[in-house]
Amino acid sequence: NYIPSGVHIELQAENGLLGLGPYPNISKREHPDADFINAGKETVTAIKGASTFSSSDSFNMIRGGHVDLTILGGLQVSKNGDLANWIISGKLVK
């Protein structure tokens, strides 16, 4: 939602959505597809021309160097950058 108009960036969700769009605008009565989610499990939209694929293909694209920039998030990260965990214990994973 914070990319200025005129700037074109292709965003990819780690779960297999290339062409990640902004959050749905409920006030405009947009009806989002509940299967389009970001890494935080929030419902998002897909831009025109977006494509979907498996999460394993998504990670292969990232790890294979086919993506120019990757931003990883982690719940706990060591001072060396090691990810300690990726899930909150007891929280349902969608």
Side-chain angles (χ1 to χ4, degrees):
N1 287 2
Y2 303 103
I3 299 172
S5 62
V7 174
H8 181 75
I9 298 173
E10 293 285 333
L11 298 174
Q12 175 182 339
E14 65 185 17
N15 56 351
L17 173 60
L18 179 61
L20 186 70
Y23 292 114
N25 188 336
I26 303 304
S27 66
K28 291 185 179 180
R29 298 184 187 263
E30 291 179 359
H31 300 287
D33 184 331
D35 289 330
F36 289 157
I37 56 174
N38 62 20
K41 309 299 184 240
E42 300 168 311
T43 303
V44 294
T45 60
I47 63 172
K48 184 177 181 177
S51 61
T52 59
F53 35 84
S54 71
S55 60
S56 61
D57 285 338
S58 182
F59 279 100
N60 284 334
M61 290 167 63
I62 293 167
R63 292 180 181 137
H66 306 287
V67 177
D68 292 329
L69 175 68
T70 302
I71 300 171
L72 296 175
L75 298 174
Q76 294 178 347
V77 182
S78 75
K79 66 180 180 180
N80 297 322
D82 304 313
L83 291 174
N85 62 27
W86 59 272
I87 193 169
I88 299 171
S89 292
K91 185 172 180 179
L92 178 65
V93 178
K94 183 176 179 183

